[in-house]
Amino acid sequence: MPVVTVQVTREGTTPDRSSVTAEEKARIIAGVSQVMLDVLNKPLESTYVVIEEIDLENWGWGGLPTADYRRILADKRPAG
């Protein structure tokens, strides 16, 4: 019985949201379960998927808090 943990930042996909929606979580669960079936031949009903939402300030990337790293990347993008 596989148990797959997916960690996502607790933020929305648009500026007015602060969490992943129930629909998005359902799609993550379905997609991860399908991968386990396709790759390891694990039946959908035997795969557990756990989604952990982590506050953005608890993530770091490139030696920086994620929000700072994203700002730096955004500043480097060409305007247009």
Side-chain angles (χ1 to χ4, degrees):
M1 163 182 63
V3 177
V4 180
T5 302
V6 178
Q7 294 182 324
V8 296
T9 53
R10 184 177 291 145
E11 61 181 310
T13 53
T14 61
D16 59 325
R17 291 187 23 215
S18 61
S19 66
V20 180
T21 67
E23 179 182 284
E24 289 166 333
K25 290 177 186 177
R27 290 177 57 202
I28 291 169
I29 292 167
V32 168
S33 298
Q34 188 64 48
V35 166
M36 297 304 289
L37 174 64
D38 295 345
V39 175
L40 297 178
N41 202 31
K42 298 294 182 178
L44 296 176
E45 62 274 6
S46 75
T47 298
Y48 288 84
V49 180
V50 178
I51 299 173
E52 296 178 353
E53 289 185 275
I54 311 298
D55 290 328
L56 185 61
E57 63 266 11
N58 293 333
W59 283 82
W61 187 16
L64 298 167
T66 298
D68 295 345
Y69 187 81
R70 289 177 180 176
R71 270 194 290 280
I72 290 169
L73 287 179
D75 290 346
K76 290 181 180 179
R77 288 189 192 124

